[in-house]
Amino acid sequence: LSDRSRTSDDPRRLAIPWIVAFDTLWLHAPSDADPRVPAQFWRALSSAIGTAAVSVKADPRSAEFFSRRREALISAASAALSEGRIDTLRSLEDMLVGEAEWKDVTEHLRALSGSAGSETPETSLAWLSGQIRDRSHRRELSAADESQAARIDYVAAALMAAWDAMSDGPRGAEAYRAVQIMAESLFDLHMLGSAGDTTTYDELQHEVTRSAPSARPVKVKIVRPGVRWSDGIRNRIVIKATAEAV
Amino acid sequence: MASATESSSKQLQRLYDALAGEGVMSDTLYLGIDWGTHSSKWVWARGARAEFKILRSEVRLDNDHLLLSADAPPSGSVFMGGLKKQLINNPSTPFWGGLQRGMRLSLGELFAFSLWRLMSEAYAAAPRVASKQPDLLEIRFSLPNWVDIDSGAVGRATYEQAARVACNIFVADRTSWVQEQQPRRLVWQKRVSRALDELGISDDLPIDHHPQGFRTLLKQECKINDNTRFRFVAESSAAGLTGLLRSDQEDARGVLKILVVDVGAGSTDIGYLLKTKQALCQLPPANTCQIAGENLSRRILDIYRSRGRQISFDEAELIKTTGSETGWRKHPTVKDWINAIAEHVREYVSVVTDKRWLPYQPGLFVFVTGGSGVVPGLDKALLDATIDGLRSQKISAATVRGTKGLTIALRGPLAAR
């Protein structure tokens, strides 16, 4: 079909009879047939006909196929949800990514979990919760390297703001301590240096504020600490410490 | 590091949106490579899953082994940065022939190494969370706005050559990077030499100086083998695709016109995107404006230091992008920065050529994005500048009135306002 479609002026003309024929076959399929088959068929077909898939899907002659495909998907997803088969749910998700039907399926699953209550396995509920919460942003990227996650920047900025507040009195010091513990325990963020300390200059850790006698100072005095991320093996400087040459 | 991460995450989000705009299929693995001046990024995307990583762009030579790293090169190490600038500033220098001092590799060999290294790590990272091997591998390289200038033509041509060489080496053995992550200099030279022979690439190949060369390159799809292809996506358009994908502002005919202003770290890129029911078009972007995010961070740094707070540049970047403090926002120097970008927008809009759609309704949407796109007042100033530019083109009052900012519901860093 792929080769023929490419040479045809109207791939839709070829695709519609295929859909109608498949729908007839599916209607007579054994009751234990894999309900994902119609979705897999459409995936292969739409991949072969490219942009014509949009008009094929909108054609009234294919309406029954898409209706049955939707029912089959909901049936497959519902069974997987109630049995806690997350791998199956993920394979359906992969198959339908970018298609409007996936929203229908997750809406149905939400209604199902609400009515089934405690019968739905906890793993299924956690997966479904992620789907609902992130529906409009499911394609956001995750960082392969934890130190590059955007949340690290937010926590580092909060840590420095808390460090500034430390000089405001006992309450400020307590607030700083609380933020510091959170940053260390949950985000692997640590203060880099202490104000007033003198240390060997390291261009990767220190930003010199005042002109040094030589281009590269040997020793520096920390004016303002920085923030470092470390998971125990890898180390990354998130904010350099500000220092003066001594 | 933090600043590079923040703005780069957004660039990656856009690169991924560019991939998603094509319809990310679960049986296709997409690798997006954004090779930048200071930092380079990869993203892999398959089905609903995607992951990114940011590396420094300097190519290092440690004990005769080549590598890219997430960390800045330590003092005393041998490395080469600013490859992009080298290429733009020296268009007549041999790309594959001349050896760079210290590195003892040609600019082409260094380019190809960077691209191969990025795509190899992205490919190696992908199967960790996706069980089935992909049927098809689609690679996308982001193309800088090398538009009208003569050196841009050389940059485009040699960038394409480097991409072909890198892909050729990559498909010869997709797992070679996993086995040897830091190849020896001579080993890499031999691999490149073999690829150049196979592909018939050399410095003697003619350069396409045609003004349409930028568009032509964007339309090309290069087939490496039966299941591996690559093409280029314009950086400015990748930014605009975020707006296209997340907007429901099309009129009844499905027409959406977007002016993209991408305020990145080192440059501000402006482009014009048009979506109709039939096609998605990108017009040549404006020449790059050097007033951008890093420039604003320097200004914020100066503001705080003049007030006695000795913050570092990294912290200035975080104050800007996370919105954790607001004390700098009304300073006159920030206003100057906004005005400089607005003037660049006005100039571009006053000459942008789309006689078929721009003069008519619906109005133009102005989409401000990039690491510094969050600066308060910037979107309003850029909208006003756009309207001024449209008026200078004698666009009808009704269309000008319909021109507005494109607001998209965002969260996380993108929403830090």
Side-chain angles (χ1 to χ4, degrees), chain A residues 93-108:
Chain A
E93 180 192 353
D94 279 350
M95 203 186 305
L96 292 173
V97 67
E99 293 193 44
E101 281 87 344
W102 186 240
K103 187 180 172 188
D104 285 354
V105 172
T106 51
E107 279 302 323
H108 182 89

Side-chain angles (χ1 to χ4, degrees), chain B residues 297-315:
Chain B
S297 297
R298 291 267 165 227
R299 292 172 193 235
I300 294 171
L301 182 79
D302 291 342
I303 292 169
Y304 278 90
R305 287 196 178 171
S306 71
R307 292 173 183 170
R309 253 175 83 187
Q310 299 297 312
I311 66 170
S312 64
F313 179 79
D314 294 334
E315 197 175 349

Side-chain angles (χ1 to χ4, degrees), chain A residues 1-236:
Chain A
L1 175 66
S2 175
D3 289 343
R4 291 175 66 192
S5 299
R6 281 177 196 139
T7 57
S8 166
D9 288 333
D10 184 9
R12 189 172 58 169
R13 200 166 48 81
L14 290 163
I16 297 284
W18 272 63
I19 288 179
V20 173
F22 177 88
D23 193 41
T24 308
L25 287 169
W26 179 247
L27 205 55
H28 296 92
S31 59
D32 60 348
D34 187 339
R36 290 174 293 182
V37 169
Q40 286 161 344
F41 166 75
W42 171 243
R43 185 156 197 83
L45 185 65
S46 59
S47 163
I49 61 178
T51 53
V54 176
S55 54
V56 168
K57 206 168 177 182
D59 193 298
R61 288 170 291 174
S62 59
E64 285 195 17
F65 163 77
F66 284 105
S67 171
R68 258 187 278 281
R69 170 179 174 259
R70 180 178 173 276
E71 284 169 22
L73 284 167
I74 287 176
S75 164
S78 302
L81 187 84
S82 58
E83 291 161 19
R85 286 185 281 114
I86 304 301
D87 283 350
T88 304
L89 291 166
R90 285 192 177 134
S91 77
L92 289 169
E93 180 192 353
D94 279 350
M95 203 186 305
L96 292 173
V97 67
E99 293 193 44
E101 281 87 344
W102 186 240
K103 187 180 172 188
D104 285 354
V105 172
T106 51
E107 279 302 323
H108 182 89
L109 295 181
R110 174 150 72 169
L112 180 72
S113 67
S115 61
S118 59
E119 292 169 28
T120 309
E122 185 58 34
T123 49
S124 295
L125 291 175
W127 174 85
L128 184 59
S129 162
Q131 290 292 315
I132 305 290
R133 191 177 54 233
D134 294 339
R135 177 175 294 142
S136 58
H137 299 283
R138 281 176 56 241
R139 283 180 169 164
E140 283 191 1
L141 295 157
S142 55
D145 182 330
E146 175 60 22
S147 71
Q148 296 178 347
R151 61 179 166 272
I152 295 295
D153 285 356
Y154 282 87
V155 179
L159 190 54
M160 291 309 298
W163 185 84
D164 281 326
M166 189 171 54
S167 56
D168 290 350
R171 292 288 294 150
E174 281 174 20
Y176 168 67
R177 180 79 188 131
V179 174
Q180 191 189 20
I181 289 170
M182 176 197 70
E184 281 190 15
S185 315
L186 300 181
F187 298 96
D188 293 325
L189 287 172
H190 311 267
M191 296 306 284
L192 175 68
S194 297
D197 283 1
T198 298
T199 183
T200 306
Y201 173 68
D202 180 342
E203 64 183 343
L204 299 180
Q205 296 190 25
H206 304 132
E207 183 174 314
V208 179
T209 56
R210 292 190 191 154
S211 56
S214 64
R216 187 186 161 81
V218 177
K219 292 272 182 189
V220 289
K221 183 177 159 192
I222 305 292
V223 176
R224 184 177 175 83
V227 178
R228 146 182 93 83
W229 176 92
S230 175
D231 61 359
I233 298 169
R234 297 170 298 170
N235 284 286
R236 299 275 150 75

